[in-house]
Amino acid sequence: SCTSTRVAVVLSGCGVYDGSEIHEAVAVLSHLTRNDAVPVAFAPDIKQMHVINHLKGEVDASHSRMVLAESARITRGSIQSICELINNIGCFDAVIFPGGFGVAKNLSDYAIKGADCTVIPEVVKVIEEFHKARKPQGFLCISPILAARVICPIKITLGKNSCDKWPHRAAIEDAKKMGATVELRDWNETSFDEKNIIFSSPAYMYDGQYHEIDDGIGNMVKYMLAMLRKGDLKPKETCPPRDCKH
């Protein structure tokens, strides 16, 4: 119905070292449905940069995998090409990008080029179109790097840079080099850029326990949905066309 809150979730594979961080992706989906939103998953139909043996932490050069097919593992097969999202932006009220190294390897080349990275065209298009439509976007873990590359100026968080519990804190300086303002936020906090309607939260930028990461993601999802449902963030026309895919 037109009253349903539809949220696109963009994945980047399956597994923290070469795809989406599974716990983050599942937490996003779970907290969306818990809060009466309808999540719809998307991923680019492209080859992964490489395959990592997650037991050994080593590259497995004997295999190649596709981002869309691997992402389908997380969503029990219910997923579409990101091209479908690009063609149906009007069907969705918001979009969320979970983290994982797939963001830095498959959705961009940040893992190789750092602050000089580029984002794949399909993801650029999604971020730009949601931004243009004044629809909220959520970014977790390392994925705010995507927003920093595409939107400038922007305010995001990548966690904190103050202690050993933040092993990926070097990304903060990279985001600043891209022109982003970076707020230092704890694992259970959310940064909100009101001008750009961008929400971000550290997730596994923090070396936390499973329940902490889940709680932090839940806080961001609830914050996004609450702001969206207040009406302040919604575009004037939110009812999608009849042929929108659910």
Side-chain angles (χ1 to χ4, degrees):
S1 73
C2 293
T3 57
S4 298
T5 302
R6 296 174 178 83
V7 180
V9 180
V10 178
L11 302 179
S12 60
C14 182
V16 57
Y17 299 125
D18 57 15
S20 294
E21 211 299 319
I22 295 171
H23 299 284
E24 292 183 13
V26 171
V28 168
L29 299 170
S30 176
H31 284 288
L32 284 171
T33 58
R34 183 181 295 278
N35 289 279
D36 299 317
V38 179
V40 183
F42 299 90
D45 194 8
I46 58 176
K47 278 188 177 182
Q48 292 184 182
M49 173 182 155
H50 57 202
V51 176
I52 298 292
N53 180 319
H54 280 56
L55 180 61
K56 298 180 178 179
E58 301 171 351
V59 174
D60 181 356
S62 66
H63 290 84
S64 65
R65 296 184 180 180
M66 301 297 289
V67 173
L68 179 59
E70 290 302 299
S71 299
R73 292 174 178 270
I74 297 174
T75 60
R76 300 171 61 86
S78 179
I79 194 167
Q80 302 172 51
S81 167
I82 197 171
C83 296
E84 293 299 317
L85 174 57
I86 292 169
N87 293 332
N88 292 283
I89 296 290
C91 296
F92 296 94
D93 299 292
V95 63
I96 297 178
F97 291 80
F101 277 91
V103 168
K105 295 178 177 180
N106 304 326
L107 303 189
S108 72
D109 56 6
Y110 174 72
I112 300 170
K113 296 186 177 179
D116 296 321
C117 69
T118 57
V119 178
I120 66 169
E122 297 91 336
V123 170
V124 171
K125 185 70 171 175
V126 168
I127 294 173
E128 287 181 342
E129 290 300 313
F130 272 86
H131 187 249
K132 188 187 304 180
R134 301 287 297 163
K135 295 183 178 184
Q137 302 185 69
F139 296 87
L140 292 164
C141 192
I142 192 61
S143 73
I145 284 289
L146 303 174
R149 181 81 285 173
V150 176
I151 301 171
C152 188
I154 193 173
K155 180 173 67 177
I156 58 171
T157 189
L158 288 159
K160 292 187 172 184
N161 59 6
S162 56
C163 71
D164 292 339
K165 294 287 283 184
W166 300 91
H168 309 293
R169 56 189 178 274
I172 292 173
E173 292 306 314
D174 286 336
K176 289 179 179 178
K177 290 176 184 176
M178 296 180 195
T181 297
V182 182
E183 294 188 321
L184 300 181
R185 296 286 188 181
D186 213 341
W187 60 268
N188 58 350
E189 296 179 321
T190 298
S191 171
F192 176 45
D193 180 340
E194 187 173 2
K195 178 181 177 183
N196 294 304
I197 317 184
I198 299 292
F199 297 78
S200 54
S201 189
Y204 268 115
M205 296 300 278
Y206 175 69
D207 185 17
Q209 299 186 59
Y210 294 123
H211 72 276
E212 291 177 316
I213 305 308
D214 184 88
D215 289 348
I217 291 170
N219 289 343
M220 189 195 80
V221 169
K222 285 183 282 188
Y223 187 17
M224 280 186 71
L225 293 175
M227 294 290 287
L228 179 61
R229 288 164 175 165
K230 276 174 60 180
D232 297 341
L233 306 182
K234 275 198 173 185
K236 292 182 180 178
E237 296 182 6
T238 57
C239 183
R242 288 181 180 273
D243 61 351
C244 281
K245 297 177 182 178
H246 293 217

Short mmCIF file of all heavy atoms in Angstrom, two decimals, residues 8 42 81-90 92 120-127 129-130:
data_model
loop_
_atom_site.label_atom_id
_atom_site.label_comp_id
_atom_site.label_asym_id
_atom_site.label_seq_id
_atom_site.Cartn_x
_atom_site.Cartn_y
_atom_site.Cartn_z
N ALA A 8 15.27 0.46 0.33
CA ALA A 8 16.23 -0.31 -0.47
C ALA A 8 17.47 -0.57 0.38
O ALA A 8 17.93 0.30 1.12
CB ALA A 8 16.61 0.46 -1.73
N PHE A 42 19.22 -5.10 -3.09
CA PHE A 42 19.80 -4.93 -4.42
C PHE A 42 21.31 -5.09 -4.34
O PHE A 42 21.92 -4.89 -3.28
CB PHE A 42 19.49 -3.52 -4.97
CG PHE A 42 18.03 -3.23 -5.12
CD1 PHE A 42 17.31 -2.65 -4.08
CD2 PHE A 42 17.37 -3.53 -6.30
CE1 PHE A 42 15.96 -2.38 -4.21
CE2 PHE A 42 16.02 -3.26 -6.44
CZ PHE A 42 15.31 -2.69 -5.40
N SER A 81 18.95 -6.88 -9.24
CA SER A 81 20.08 -6.08 -9.72
C SER A 81 19.88 -4.63 -9.33
O SER A 81 18.76 -4.11 -9.32
CB SER A 81 20.19 -6.19 -11.25
OG SER A 81 21.06 -5.19 -11.75
N ILE A 82 20.97 -3.96 -9.03
CA ILE A 82 20.90 -2.55 -8.66
C ILE A 82 20.31 -1.70 -9.78
O ILE A 82 19.78 -0.62 -9.54
CB ILE A 82 22.30 -2.04 -8.24
CG1 ILE A 82 22.19 -0.72 -7.47
CG2 ILE A 82 23.22 -1.91 -9.45
CD1 ILE A 82 23.50 -0.27 -6.85
N CYS A 83 20.37 -2.21 -11.01
CA CYS A 83 19.76 -1.48 -12.13
C CYS A 83 18.25 -1.33 -11.93
O CYS A 83 17.66 -0.32 -12.34
CB CYS A 83 20.04 -2.21 -13.44
SG CYS A 83 21.79 -2.27 -13.87
N GLU A 84 17.62 -2.32 -11.29
CA GLU A 84 16.19 -2.22 -11.00
C GLU A 84 15.91 -1.11 -9.99
O GLU A 84 14.88 -0.44 -10.07
CB GLU A 84 15.67 -3.56 -10.47
CG GLU A 84 15.70 -4.68 -11.48
CD GLU A 84 14.82 -4.38 -12.68
OE1 GLU A 84 13.69 -3.88 -12.49
OE2 GLU A 84 15.27 -4.62 -13.82
N LEU A 85 16.81 -0.91 -9.06
CA LEU A 85 16.65 0.19 -8.12
C LEU A 85 16.78 1.53 -8.83
O LEU A 85 15.98 2.45 -8.60
CB LEU A 85 17.69 0.08 -7.00
CG LEU A 85 17.75 1.24 -5.99
CD1 LEU A 85 16.40 1.46 -5.32
CD2 LEU A 85 18.84 0.98 -4.95
N ILE A 86 17.77 1.64 -9.69
CA ILE A 86 17.98 2.89 -10.44
C ILE A 86 16.74 3.25 -11.25
O ILE A 86 16.36 4.42 -11.35
CB ILE A 86 19.22 2.76 -11.35
CG1 ILE A 86 20.49 2.67 -10.49
CG2 ILE A 86 19.31 3.94 -12.31
CD1 ILE A 86 21.73 2.29 -11.26
N ASN A 87 16.10 2.23 -11.81
CA ASN A 87 14.92 2.46 -12.65
C ASN A 87 13.64 2.68 -11.84
O ASN A 87 12.61 3.02 -12.41
CB ASN A 87 14.72 1.28 -13.60
CG ASN A 87 15.82 1.18 -14.64
OD1 ASN A 87 16.43 2.18 -15.01
ND2 ASN A 87 16.10 -0.03 -15.09
N ASN A 88 13.71 2.46 -10.52
CA ASN A 88 12.50 2.54 -9.70
C ASN A 88 12.74 3.31 -8.40
O ASN A 88 12.20 2.96 -7.35
CB ASN A 88 11.99 1.13 -9.37
CG ASN A 88 11.47 0.40 -10.59
OD1 ASN A 88 10.37 0.65 -11.07
ND2 ASN A 88 12.29 -0.51 -11.11
N ILE A 89 13.52 4.38 -8.47
CA ILE A 89 13.81 5.18 -7.27
C ILE A 89 12.51 5.64 -6.61
O ILE A 89 12.39 5.68 -5.38
CB ILE A 89 14.68 6.40 -7.63
CG1 ILE A 89 16.06 5.97 -8.14
CG2 ILE A 89 14.82 7.33 -6.42
CD1 ILE A 89 16.96 5.35 -7.12
N GLY A 90 11.51 5.96 -7.42
CA GLY A 90 10.25 6.46 -6.89
C GLY A 90 9.49 5.46 -6.04
O GLY A 90 8.56 5.83 -5.33
N PHE A 92 10.76 3.83 -3.57
CA PHE A 92 11.40 3.67 -2.27
C PHE A 92 11.48 4.99 -1.51
O PHE A 92 11.65 6.06 -2.09
CB PHE A 92 12.80 3.06 -2.46
CG PHE A 92 12.74 1.68 -3.04
CD1 PHE A 92 12.84 1.49 -4.41
CD2 PHE A 92 12.52 0.59 -2.23
CE1 PHE A 92 12.74 0.22 -4.96
CE2 PHE A 92 12.41 -0.69 -2.76
CZ PHE A 92 12.52 -0.87 -4.13
N ILE A 120 31.63 2.89 -8.20
CA ILE A 120 31.09 2.36 -9.46
C ILE A 120 29.86 3.19 -9.88
O ILE A 120 29.12 3.69 -9.03
CB ILE A 120 30.75 0.87 -9.37
CG1 ILE A 120 29.60 0.60 -8.39
CG2 ILE A 120 31.98 0.05 -8.99
CD1 ILE A 120 29.06 -0.83 -8.48
N PRO A 121 29.65 3.34 -11.19
CA PRO A 121 28.60 4.25 -11.68
C PRO A 121 27.20 3.95 -11.14
O PRO A 121 26.43 4.88 -10.89
CB PRO A 121 28.66 4.05 -13.20
CG PRO A 121 30.05 3.58 -13.48
CD PRO A 121 30.44 2.76 -12.29
N GLU A 122 26.86 2.67 -10.97
CA GLU A 122 25.52 2.32 -10.50
C GLU A 122 25.28 2.86 -9.09
O GLU A 122 24.19 3.35 -8.77
CB GLU A 122 25.32 0.80 -10.51
CG GLU A 122 25.40 0.17 -11.89
CD GLU A 122 26.80 -0.28 -12.26
OE1 GLU A 122 27.78 0.27 -11.70
OE2 GLU A 122 26.91 -1.19 -13.10
N VAL A 123 26.29 2.76 -8.24
CA VAL A 123 26.15 3.26 -6.87
C VAL A 123 26.13 4.78 -6.85
O VAL A 123 25.36 5.39 -6.09
CB VAL A 123 27.27 2.70 -5.97
CG1 VAL A 123 27.28 3.38 -4.61
CG2 VAL A 123 27.09 1.19 -5.80
N VAL A 124 26.96 5.39 -7.68
CA VAL A 124 26.92 6.86 -7.81
C VAL A 124 25.51 7.31 -8.18
O VAL A 124 24.96 8.25 -7.59
CB VAL A 124 27.93 7.35 -8.87
CG1 VAL A 124 27.72 8.84 -9.14
CG2 VAL A 124 29.35 7.09 -8.41
N LYS A 125 24.91 6.63 -9.13
CA LYS A 125 23.57 6.99 -9.61
C LYS A 125 22.54 6.87 -8.49
O LYS A 125 21.69 7.75 -8.31
CB LYS A 125 23.18 6.09 -10.78
CG LYS A 125 21.86 6.46 -11.45
CD LYS A 125 21.96 7.76 -12.21
CE LYS A 125 20.72 8.01 -13.05
NZ LYS A 125 20.76 9.34 -13.71
N VAL A 126 22.61 5.78 -7.72
CA VAL A 126 21.66 5.58 -6.62
C VAL A 126 21.79 6.71 -5.60
O VAL A 126 20.80 7.33 -5.19
CB VAL A 126 21.88 4.21 -5.94
CG1 VAL A 126 21.11 4.13 -4.62
CG2 VAL A 126 21.45 3.09 -6.87
N ILE A 127 23.02 6.99 -5.18
CA ILE A 127 23.24 8.02 -4.17
C ILE A 127 22.79 9.38 -4.69
O ILE A 127 22.12 10.15 -3.98
CB ILE A 127 24.72 8.06 -3.74
CG1 ILE A 127 25.08 6.75 -3.01
CG2 ILE A 127 25.00 9.26 -2.85
CD1 ILE A 127 26.56 6.61 -2.70
N GLU A 129 20.57 10.07 -7.05
CA GLU A 129 19.13 10.15 -7.27
C GLU A 129 18.36 10.25 -5.95
O GLU A 129 17.39 11.01 -5.86
CB GLU A 129 18.65 8.95 -8.09
CG GLU A 129 19.10 8.96 -9.54
CD GLU A 129 18.59 10.18 -10.30
OE1 GLU A 129 17.40 10.51 -10.19
OE2 GLU A 129 19.41 10.82 -10.99
N PHE A 130 18.77 9.51 -4.95
CA PHE A 130 18.12 9.64 -3.64
C PHE A 130 18.39 11.03 -3.05
O PHE A 130 17.52 11.63 -2.43
CB PHE A 130 18.61 8.55 -2.68
CG PHE A 130 17.81 7.28 -2.75
CD1 PHE A 130 18.13 6.31 -3.69
CD2 PHE A 130 16.74 7.07 -1.91
CE1 PHE A 130 17.39 5.13 -3.77
CE2 PHE A 130 15.99 5.90 -1.97
CZ PHE A 130 16.32 4.92 -2.92
#
